[in-house]
Amino acid sequence: MSNSFLSKDQPDRLSKTSRVLHWLIALGMVALLCVGIIMTKNELWNLYDLHKSIGLLLSVLIIFRVIWRAVNGWPHPAGHYRPVEKFLGKITHWGLIIGSVLIPVFGMMHSGFSGHGFGIFGLEIVKENPDPQRVNEVLPIWEAGYKFGQAGHQYISYLLICLLVLHIAGALKHHIVDKDKTLLRMLGK
């Protein structure tokens, strides 16, 4: 097996690329979901720029991961499973990958169309649309668009939380009950 970072997954071992992308995106998504809930529930508006910046950077990794999966394929199962387990695994994995793509798209729609704009740590990608009548206020660019983006970002966030819990439960089931190598493989062992 090649030691190259971009080497393909093997039937019994995941590549370093697959493992690094999985863990970086997983940790990033969990952190962003937690921060998102905390900042909206407690109206901590000063966290929004950090949330958007990290979300945009993470979306680059997410796009790379989608391309990686398309080129490399899905990992082979580490054992033999019942049809219902295979079905739940596929639904969960597809839901996580599609949700991880859609959540930043809806977030950008919400922020951009609401007039708040977005960028990465001060580097503007979409400028704010300031209200000339009220200092520190913005004017929405497209109200229906930002409301759709807001709803999509919120509901996909909650769906991802449910899928993450299911994914973690499945990984623990594989490790503790089935005693297969699914979790160990993701840890590079």
Side-chain angles (χ1 to χ4, degrees), residues 20-149:
V20 168
L21 287 171
H22 175 272
W23 291 109
L24 282 176
I25 292 168
L27 294 172
M29 291 298 287
V30 167
L32 285 171
L33 289 165
C34 290
V35 169
I37 290 169
I38 290 167
M39 72 183 186
T40 54
K41 297 291 181 199
N42 298 299
E43 298 183 357
L44 298 173
W45 312 129
N46 58 330
L47 292 177
Y48 271 83
D49 285 337
L50 178 66
H51 180 79
K52 290 188 253 186
S53 295
I54 293 172
L56 285 167
L57 291 173
L58 192 61
S59 68
V60 173
L61 287 177
I62 291 166
I63 291 166
F64 182 72
R65 184 163 192 240
V66 168
I67 294 168
W68 179 254
R69 272 293 141 243
V71 169
N72 199 43
W74 291 97
H76 297 282
H80 299 286
Y81 309 110
R82 296 178 299 164
V84 69
E85 291 175 301
K86 289 179 185 179
F87 176 75
L88 284 173
K90 281 186 181 191
I91 293 290
T92 302
H93 286 111
W94 276 104
L96 286 169
I97 206 156
I98 291 168
S100 69
V101 169
L102 291 179
I103 200 166
V105 170
F106 281 111
M108 287 184 275
M109 285 176 63
H110 172 238
S111 194
F113 290 140
S114 70
H116 287 93
F118 55 85
I120 299 174
F121 298 111
L123 174 66
E124 280 186 325
I125 295 172
V126 172
K127 289 182 165 271
E128 285 188 346
N129 188 32
D131 184 341
Q133 305 297 320
R134 296 175 291 189
V135 178
N136 296 327
E137 297 288 325
V138 296
L139 292 172
I141 294 167
W142 182 32
E143 191 170 342
Y146 94 74
K147 286 182 177 179
F148 181 69

